[in-house]
Every structure is written in C-alpha cells, then in structure tokens.
C-alpha cells in the first residue's frame, strides 16, 4: 500500500510549499521505517544476509544543455556512482555521438575513459523510441538507432539497453499508433490481438536475436502509457513470447498512478528474473482532483498543476522517505544488480534541482538500510 503525497482537504499550494523545502525531506529521510516488512534480519534457520550497496546514478537528458565534461563534473560533485546515457530516440544523444564512437575505436575508448577517470560507471544506454510505429520512416529511424545502440553497447561492455516496447497501428491501414487498454467493444480486442501477433512479437523476437548475437542479454522496457508494455502484466506477456532478453526498466512513477504496490512490483519482477533497470522518479496524486477527473489527468508544466490529478516529482516529494526506504529494501531483497537511475521530470523542482533533492533522499535511505 502506498501513500499519497497530499491528503484530502489540504490546499495544493500549501502542500507544494511544504514539500518544496529540503528541510521537510531531510526530516522525513531520517524517520524510522514504520511498516517496512521486507526485512533481512536473520533467523536460526536463515542467517542474516548482508545488504548490497546499489549504485545511485542519473539519466543524462536532465543535463542536455551541458557538455559531456561539464555534466560529468556535476555528477561527480554529487557523489554519484553511475550513469544512464541516451543514445537516440526520445532521450536524444547529446552526450554520446554514437556514429562517431562506432566508427573510431580510439574515440570510443577516450569517451569511456572520461567516466572511468571520475569513478562513474556507464551502466546503461537508453534508446527510447517506437520501432513499430506505422509510419515506415519513423519506424526505420528508431530501428536503426536501436541497432546502433546494441553495437555500441557491445563495444563499450554496457550490459543493459533501456527503451520502450513501441506501439503499432490498430490495423494494417492505420497511419498512427493506437494504444489499446480495454478489449471491448469486440473490434478493440481484435485490434489488440493483431498488434501483438503481427507487429509486437515478430519485431522484438528479431531485435532480441540481434542483441543476443552481440552479447546484449538485457533489454529493459519502461512500462509507460501509450506503449503496448505499460504494466508488469504486459511486460511479462512480452517476455514470455520473446525470451529472457526482455525485462523491466522499473519506473515506479508510471505505476503509482495505476494503483500498483511498488514493493510488490519489485518482488514480482525480481522473482521472475525480469528486473534489469530502475528509474528513480516519483508521482504525487491530488485526491480531490483525482476524485473529479480520475488519474489520467497529468500535468507536465508548472502552469498546469492547479488542475492536475497527478504530476511527476523528484524522489521523496510524492511518497514519503519511509516508502522509498521500503522500495530500496525490496530491491536489495531481490538482489537487484543494476543501478538506481534518477530521472527528473518534476515541473516544480525542475532540472538539476530535482536531481539534487532525489540524491539526498536516496543516499539517506540507502545509508540507513546499510547501517
């Protein structure tokens, strides 16, 4: 059960003002984790396991206006240990000139050395796109970006590629993607079956084969609205159809508003060997607005917040530090071997500020769990 960031009867401006201070988060981050049930305390039959320190990193689009060196100086100053780097598609490739690095091994080595010199691990490449888009040109571009990313990951020994599952048209004659989540009236059920059978599964079988041939065994899909994989069930459906190369980028910000229990999700994915990557991003739901408009009423800019049912927030500003402590403990409990990658899309704590706040919360709760 997760906690909402605001309570009924609380004025939104008062709430946002309250959570917008580092002091509030600092206080929350040091509270005992009441209600945390996923303990690693040992028993006579099952000795206590030592918790593993999961690296904290950041996804690079938040620094899109900085050069590679400027970004690495910022990340290093925050004491972060890893990075997720965009290589094409929606995140762009501002800090990773993929064609150049593929064409020149010396340039690729020098690029990677910049990270190594600062003790920062390049843990994942991200190529979020729609390779099954009904527009052939759009699809071809995203397919090529994915293939280039696989080749670069092979060269750089980066084990995980993050992306979207994509979304095709509803029929062979449509020109735009069709995100279908409800199977009635019957024509929608027929379209959904056509999408998976004719487009989704065939493409990803071939793409996973290409990745496997180049040593990449982890394709981490972000469960995201407007794509065919948008929750744990659809993720597991694709994994079962395609193979073990398919797993999750567990971005809980997209699952909070769907009503998922974050700890249960982490355990489900971990138990099935499908937990490949983790975006650290929060969501706040405003109960009084949810009551009027439902959860599919997101705001993406600060000007839209007044009428929003939910907005993305920096870690700790949508759910309490106690909740995030339980989430990190769940990752430790399932022996997650990826990174905690901060993605900031907070319209209030925008850019680097949101990253800094998230780092503070995550480091505090991680330290408590490791103490």
């Amino acid at each position: 059960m997760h906690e909402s960031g605001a309570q009924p009867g609380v004025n939104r401006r008062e709430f946002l003002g309250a959570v917008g201070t580092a002091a509030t988060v600092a206080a929350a981050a040091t509270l005992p984790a009441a209600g945390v049930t996923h303990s690693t305390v040992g028993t006579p039959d099952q000795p206590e396991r030592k918790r593993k320190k999961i690296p904290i990193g950041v996804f690079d689009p938040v620094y899109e206006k900085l050069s590679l060196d400027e970004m690495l100086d910022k990340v290093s100053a925050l004491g972060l240990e890893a990075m997720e780097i965009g290589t094409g598609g929606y995140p762009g490739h501002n800090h990773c000139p993929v064609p150049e690095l593929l064409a020149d091994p010396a340039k690729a080595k020098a690029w990677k050395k910049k990270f190594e010199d600062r003790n920062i691990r390049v843990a994942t490449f991200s190529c979020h796109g729609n390779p099954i888009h009904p527009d052939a040109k759009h699809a071809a571009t995203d397919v090529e970006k994915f293939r280039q990313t696989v080749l670069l990951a092979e060269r750089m020994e980066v084990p995980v590629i993050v992306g979207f599952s994509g979304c095709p048209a509803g029929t062979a004659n449509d020109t735009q993607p069709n995100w279908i989540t409800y199977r009635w009236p019957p024509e929608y059920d027929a379209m959904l079956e056509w999408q998976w059978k004719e487009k989704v599964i065939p493409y990803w079988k071939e793409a996973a084969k290409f990745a496997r041939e180049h040593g990449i065994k982890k394709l981490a899909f972000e469960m995201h609205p407007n794509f065919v994989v948008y929750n744990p069930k659809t993720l597991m459906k694709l994994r079962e159809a395609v193979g073990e190369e398919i797993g999750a980028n567990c971005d809980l910000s997209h699952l909070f508003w769907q009503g998922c229990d974050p700890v249960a999700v982490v355990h489900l994915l971990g138990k099935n060997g499908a937990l490949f990557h983790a975006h650290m991003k929060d969501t706040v739901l405003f109960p009084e607005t949810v009551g009027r408009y439902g959860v599919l009423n997101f705001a993406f800019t600060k000007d839209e917040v007044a009428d929003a049912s939910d907005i993305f927030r920096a870690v700790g500003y949508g759910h309490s530090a106690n909740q995030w402590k339980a989430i990190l403990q769940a990752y430790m409990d399932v022996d997650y071997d990826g990174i905690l990658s901060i993605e900031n899309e907070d319209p209030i704590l925008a850019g680097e500020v949101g990253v800094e706040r998230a780092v503070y919360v995550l480091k505090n709760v991680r330290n408590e769990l490791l103490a």
Side-chain angles (χ1 to χ4, degrees):
M1 182 176 184
H2 60 262
E3 306 161 24
S4 175
Q7 300 300 322
V10 177
N11 178 277
R12 184 182 286 108
R13 285 191 174 87
E14 293 175 359
F15 167 73
L16 293 175
V19 299
T21 65
T24 302
V25 178
T30 56
L31 291 173
V36 174
T37 58
H38 301 278
S39 173
T40 57
V41 175
T43 67
D45 297 327
Q46 200 171 26
E48 180 178 352
R49 291 186 293 111
K50 182 176 176 62
R51 292 189 177 106
K52 181 170 63 178
K53 182 179 180 180
I54 303 174
I56 298 172
V58 64
F59 188 17
D60 76 314
V62 72
Y63 299 110
E64 63 181 352
K65 295 181 181 178
L66 300 181
S67 69
L68 176 61
D69 289 323
E70 290 170 336
M71 175 184 74
L72 290 175
D73 287 343
K74 291 267 188 181
V75 172
S76 183
L78 288 172
L80 293 175
E81 301 133 341
M83 287 205 72
E84 173 183 357
I85 300 294
T87 56
Y90 299 113
H93 52 93
N94 295 297
H95 303 111
C96 187
V98 179
E100 289 181 33
L101 300 184
L102 285 174
D104 190 336
K107 282 187 177 180
K109 185 176 181 180
W111 183 88
K112 190 174 182 181
K113 190 173 185 298
K114 288 178 181 287
F115 293 84
E116 294 171 341
D117 287 347
R118 295 169 173 86
N119 295 315
I120 297 170
R121 182 173 119 214
V122 181
T124 60
F125 284 142
S126 281
C127 186
H128 294 70
N130 188 355
I132 50 177
H133 196 287
D135 181 289
K137 185 176 180 181
H138 185 139
T141 297
D142 287 349
V143 168
E144 181 59 23
K145 293 292 183 184
F146 171 78
R147 292 174 71 88
Q148 288 182 356
T149 297
V150 168
L151 296 177
L152 188 62
E154 179 184 30
R155 170 169 290 181
M156 298 289 196
E157 299 181 317
V158 173
V160 181
I161 293 175
V162 183
F164 292 138
S165 59
C167 185
T171 73
N173 298 320
D174 295 348
T175 60
Q176 293 297 326
N178 191 340
W179 184 44
I180 301 167
T181 62
Y182 201 75
R183 303 196 308 272
W184 192 90
E187 59 266 32
Y188 289 92
D189 191 27
M191 285 191 291
L192 189 61
E193 184 177 352
W194 179 86
Q195 287 181 324
W196 281 81
K197 182 179 178 181
E198 300 297 330
K199 297 296 180 180
V200 180
I201 293 172
Y203 171 75
W204 283 113
K205 277 188 174 180
E206 185 62 30
K209 180 175 180 287
F210 179 77
R212 185 167 58 249
E213 289 171 348
H214 291 277
I216 307 304
K217 300 178 181 179
K218 292 184 177 182
L219 304 179
F221 289 113
E222 187 166 341
M223 297 169 281
H224 194 289
N226 283 330
F227 297 100
V228 294
V229 168
Y230 60 90
N231 62 13
K233 187 171 183 178
T234 49
L235 176 84
M236 296 307 297
K237 178 180 178 179
L238 187 60
R239 179 179 170 89
E240 289 164 9
V242 172
E244 294 183 353
E245 289 81 15
I246 305 300
N249 165 29
C250 189
D251 187 333
L252 293 170
S253 71
H254 302 300
L255 303 182
F256 283 130
W257 63 265
Q258 294 186 58
C260 293
D261 180 316
V263 172
V265 167
V266 171
H267 277 267
L268 170 70
L269 297 172
K271 176 184 175 183
N272 285 281
L275 190 58
F276 293 168
H277 188 58
H279 273 175
M280 295 289 105
K281 189 172 72 182
D282 212 338
T283 300
V284 62
L285 289 95
F286 302 112
E288 72 280 11
T289 318
V290 170
R292 290 195 297 269
Y293 303 137
V295 296
L296 288 175
N297 175 40
F298 265 85
F300 296 97
T301 67
K302 196 171 182 179
D303 293 340
E304 298 172 331
V305 170
D307 293 321
S309 298
D310 24 34
I311 59 173
F312 295 131
R313 301 252 32 204
V315 171
Y317 286 79
H319 294 77
S320 72
N322 280 340
Q323 176 67 83
W324 281 98
K325 184 174 180 179
I327 291 167
L328 261 65
Q329 181 166 324
Y331 278 108
M332 293 177 180
D333 286 346
V334 300
D335 292 324
Y336 169 62
D337 65 357
I339 70 168
L340 306 172
S341 181
I342 296 167
E343 180 186 32
N344 189 45
E345 294 178 345
D346 189 323
I348 297 167
L349 299 172
E352 297 175 30
V353 176
V355 174
E356 292 164 5
R357 301 291 176 85
V359 170
Y360 186 88
V361 175
L362 290 172
K363 282 189 174 182
N364 268 280
V365 297
R366 187 181 68 176
N367 288 345
E368 288 185 15
L369 288 166
L370 294 173

